[in-house]
Structure formats: structure tokens, C-alpha cells
Amino acid sequence: MGTPAAIARDRRILRSPAALWRAGAFGVVVLAGEGDPVTLTGTGRALWEALATPIGVDELAATLAAAHGAPLEQVRPDVEAAVARLEALGAVEAAR
Amino acid sequence: MSASAPSDALVVLARFGLPGAPEHATGPLDPPAWRELVAIVESERLGPLLAEAAAAGALILDENQREEAFAAQERAMRVCVLLERTLLATAELLDDAGISFRVLKGPAVARLDYPDPAWRAFGDVDLLVPSAAYDETLAVLGAAGARRRFAEVRPGFDRRFGKGATLVAPDGTQLDVHRSFAAGPFGIALAAAELFAATDRVEVGGRELPALGRELRFLHACYHAALGDAVARVVALRDVAQLLLATPLDLDRARSIARGWRGEAVVARAVCLAWERLALEPGPAVAWAASYRPDRFESRALLAYTGASRSYATQLAAGLRAVNGFPAKAAYVRALLLPSGDYVARHDGGYAHRLRRAWRARSTVRVAR
């Protein structure tokens, strides 16, 4: 798998309404498009919940960093990668 | 703390989160008890409730068991989202063909009646279509690659008298197309056209799909729980209790509808089974159900589903008394005695055997009156 495309940080994104998903203590199962479901674990559930309403990637990273007491510079690359993956699946889209 | 029995743990998770249900925690479970519980949970599709009860501390598990419970919920939810994708594709096919439908059972109740859809697993897609559109529905789905699993008794039988058909989609998904809630007398006595009278909307993947109204969802849960299996499935009983205890269900309205279908005994049986299996506290619903006395039709009809001779053939034979009018009865009898070759080949091996079996089943029900 190649490196995910960079996400424009000033763009606001949110879950695609077409995404099918379930959340539990295991994390979040997300299905979009014709592929297989993916499971987001660890902070993935918090990330998915934060995407319920439009949010910028910087704000998303800051929110998760604060919630988990982790350094922003450590969280941001992980958030960008996760968002890129979800966008590629069609589970996340640009807010209108 | 001494180890708990799997049966106790099963009750705790099966009623987990129901308003008014006892909340005392159960556990831990020793390895053999845990394995026994997991096997039951898998066969009953209760993985989500196991995980939710464990996460909330209602079921005390060790760390490995908790992880196993959470993994069971994840597996179940992966199946559910895949089934929802099939549901959306099927809905689009039916919409394009101008066929009205209702989403039934798991995909509807999970989203409409449970606190979170992740609490309710399901293993297939169930849709209700009007009798008049039944054959066209099967043709549309067949053109899309779905294959019928079992032949009907005789061409046109299901559309007129049957419960429905099970199809298998090209991706292996099971798709149940219903015309009624049950095979046999209770399914025939039910006024199928009334099932389209009240509609709720269930949102799936950004689309609003039509589902049965709440009281009809409750009645379907009752018919499924009380008549669907020789031993009622726990998840079906949980649906009955869920709708009764956790939603603004109008039980009097539901009973009134069931009475018109000669099926109030089905509701009473389902409620009694649910309260007994889930060990719920007494309340007005179960007080009514326990005191309900089936009439003559109901008593005879119930035997076809609950008696020792329970089988599809028995239910078909018992269904005759629910068929109205001589021409329809004649058509029904003709179908039972002269089923199609495909049906005979798959089910009975010969016409003579079929004939003997149908009449033996009918005689059994008569003797048991």
C-alpha cells in the first residue's frame, strides 16, 4: 500500500452518510463502497466519533491529543494517515 | 467468589440493559463454563450483548474472556454492515422495479428499538413484500443473481398461502423474502395487506428505508419467537422484551391487531416465553399473557408449531382450517396432495410418500384437538 495522500489541513471533513458502521468496546467497524469492512481500534473510535460533525484535521488531531494526553506532534501523523485511509475507502468526505 | 454457571451468565447478558431487569453482576466463569457460554452465544447471535454486558461490568470476566467477548461483537458487526450493504442494494432493485417493501427483523429492530445498533446482531436480510408483488420480487432478485434455496410446494402457493422464500445472493448472503409472518395456520389467518398499514423509517447508510410500524414489529417478533423454532431463540425473545419494555409500544393496539388475525395466543406465548427465559420481573404484560386462554382455533393451530409432530408439513396441513372459502381450500388441498416435481424431489422423494405424510400430519393435529 502506498503512502496516503496528504490531507489539506484547512479542509473540514466528516463521516460519509453512506458509510455503514458499528461501534463497541472492540473499536469501530466501518464499511464504505465495495470493499471489506475495516476495524478502527484504540483511538480510532474517538476519531470516528469526532468525525460525526465537520472538523479540520488540525482540530481533530488537537482534540485527540488532548483527550489522550499525548503530544500533538505524535498524534498528528497518525490522524492524517487514518483520515487518508478512511477517505480512500469513501467513509469520510469533505464537509459542504 | 465462586464460579458462575453458564446458564446464569446467559440470562444476565440476554436481559442486559432492559429497563427494570435485575442488575446484579454475575461471574467469573471457569474455562469450561466460559467455553460453554461462548458456544451458546455464537449459536444464538448474542455476541453483542455478551460484549456490552462485559464492558458494563454486569458480567465479570477475566481479561482474556473480555477480549474474546469484544472480538465476538466485532465479528458480528462486520457481518451486519455487510448485510446492510446487501439490504441497500436490494432496496434499490425493488425501488427501481416499483415494488413496495418493508425491512424486517434484525436490520430494522437493531436501529429502531435497541439503544445502539451494535447491541443486536443478525445473520440475514429479511424483507416483506405485498402478496401481489411476491412473484415479481422473486423474478427481480433472480435476475440479479439470487437463487431460491427451496422450491415452493406448487407454483403460486407461496404468493397465496405461504410465508415466503429464502434466496441466496451471488455473494452468499441469505435474503428472506416474506409475504407473511409464519407458515401454516397463523400465517394464513394473518391479514397480510395490513402489514403495510403503518410504516416507520429506518436510516441505513444515509438512506431512509421503510420498516413495519412499532406494533407490527412487535407482532412480528412475537410470531418469530413463538412459532419460528421448536425452541425459541434467545435473541427473538429479547426482541419481544426489548419492544415491550424499552419502547413506547401500545400493547393494547398490538393485541387488537393480533386478535383480528386470530393470533392473540401467539403474542401471549411469546411474552410468556420471553419472561421465563430472561427471568424478568412480573408486570402487566406477562400477567395478561399468563392468564390468556387460547380459543379453539388458536389451540389447534398452536399444536402445529409446538407439538411433538412440529414440522413444515404439519404446519401446511394444519393451515387448511385457516383458508377461507371453498375454492381456496380446494386449491390448498390440491397443492398439498399434488406438489410440484421440484418440491417433491427435494423434500419427499415421491408423491405417494408426500400424500401419506400430509394426511398423517393432519390426522395427528386432529387427534390432538
Side-chain angles (χ1 to χ4, degrees):
Chain A
M1 183 187 287
T3 305
I7 305 295
R9 289 181 179 164
D10 59 346
R11 197 159 55 94
R12 295 175 72 76
I13 55 173
L14 80 169
R15 295 175 195 158
S16 165
L20 300 164
W21 59 275
R22 296 286 195 283
F26 63 86
V28 186
V29 165
V30 180
L31 176 66
E34 295 304 311
D36 292 330
V38 297
T39 302
L40 309 176
T41 57
T43 56
R45 179 171 179 174
L47 180 144
W48 185 254
E49 285 169 356
L51 288 167
T53 54
I55 189 169
V57 175
D58 278 349
E59 185 186 354
L60 180 57
T63 300
L64 294 178
H68 294 89
L72 180 59
E73 61 273 19
Q74 184 183 325
V75 171
R76 193 197 309 272
D78 292 344
V79 168
E80 288 178 349
V83 167
R85 186 177 179 211
L86 290 170
E87 268 203 314
L89 289 169
V92 165
E93 63 186 28
R96 297 193 180 100
Chain B
M1 188 184 292
S2 62
S4 296
S7 55
D8 294 340
L10 182 64
V11 168
V12 165
L13 69 93
R15 70 187 182 198
F16 174 72
L18 281 172
E23 291 185 348
H24 58 266
T26 296
L29 286 96
D30 59 28
W34 170 248
R35 295 263 57 92
E36 187 179 334
L37 178 65
V38 167
I40 298 169
V41 161
E42 288 291 334
S43 69
E44 293 275 0
R45 293 206 182 97
L46 291 169
L49 286 174
L50 172 67
E52 296 293 338
L59 197 56
I60 300 163
L61 304 177
D62 68 31
E63 199 49 43
N64 287 338
Q65 291 168 346
R66 280 170 61 85
E67 289 305 317
E68 208 174 324
F70 299 156
Q73 186 178 29
E74 182 198 350
R75 283 196 302 277
M77 294 303 103
R78 292 175 76 90
V79 171
C80 287
V81 293
L82 286 166
L83 288 168
E84 287 186 333
R85 183 167 69 188
T86 300
L87 169 63
L88 289 167
T90 307
E92 195 172 331
L93 283 173
L94 298 183
D95 280 344
D96 288 348
I99 297 171
S100 63
F101 65 90
R102 300 290 183 269
V103 181
L104 298 178
K105 296 167 72 175
V109 298
R111 290 180 175 271
L112 293 173
D113 302 310
Y114 279 78
D116 188 298
W119 285 39
R120 171 63 158 88
F122 44 91
D124 53 22
V125 171
D126 292 84
L127 293 170
L128 176 83
V129 298
S131 301
Y134 181 79
D135 290 339
E136 187 187 358
T137 301
L138 297 191
V140 166
L141 298 179
R147 291 289 169 263
R148 188 172 178 140
R149 181 166 278 174
F150 306 111
E152 62 182 324
V153 175
R154 194 176 170 87
F157 183 87
D158 282 357
R159 170 174 41 79
R160 197 168 178 189
F161 305 115
K163 173 187 177 184
T166 295
L167 308 182
V168 180
D171 66 357
T173 302
Q174 183 170 308
L175 198 56
D176 288 344
V177 177
H178 296 248
R179 185 201 71 87
S180 179
F181 284 172
F186 284 120
I188 293 169
L190 178 158
E194 289 180 11
L195 301 178
F196 287 79
T199 307
D200 282 341
R201 312 292 294 186
V202 56
E203 188 183 332
V204 181
R207 274 202 60 188
E208 286 203 342
L209 301 178
L212 299 174
R214 180 174 288 110
E215 281 68 36
L216 294 175
R217 285 202 303 283
F218 171 71
L219 291 174
H220 191 198
C222 289
Y223 274 66
H224 180 52
L227 310 176
D229 295 280
V231 177
R233 294 180 67 85
V234 177
V235 72
L237 297 173
R238 168 65 190 238
D239 283 349
V240 172
Q242 184 72 31
L243 275 146
L244 259 174
L245 296 175
T247 74
L249 174 80
D250 183 342
L251 180 59
D252 289 339
R253 168 92 183 115
R255 284 177 50 196
S256 171
I257 297 168
R259 200 174 305 129
W261 298 347
R262 308 171 81 183
E264 218 174 349
V266 178
V267 178
R269 174 174 160 79
V271 172
C272 286
L273 288 172
W275 254 249
E276 183 183 347
R277 191 74 182 89
L278 275 54
L280 295 168
E281 299 290 339
V286 73
W288 160 76
S291 65
Y292 184 79
R293 295 290 168 261
D295 65 20
R296 189 175 158 89
F297 170 85
E298 291 173 323
S299 296
R300 292 175 181 175
L302 276 172
L303 281 172
Y305 304 88
T306 63
S309 61
R310 172 196 164 89
S311 71
Y312 182 56
T314 308
Q315 289 161 22
L316 287 183
L320 179 60
R321 70 172 60 93
V323 177
N324 285 325
F326 180 76
K329 280 184 186 292
Y332 193 88
V333 169
R334 189 167 60 247
L336 286 190
L337 297 182
L338 295 171
S340 71
D342 284 350
Y343 181 84
V344 170
R346 182 174 285 269
H347 289 267
D348 298 298
Y351 283 100
H353 179 72
R354 170 74 211 173
L355 187 144
R356 283 197 302 273
R357 187 170 162 188
W359 284 106
R360 191 188 316 131
R362 189 153 185 273
S363 302
T364 303
V365 173
R366 276 183 167 166
V367 167
R369 283 175 187 176

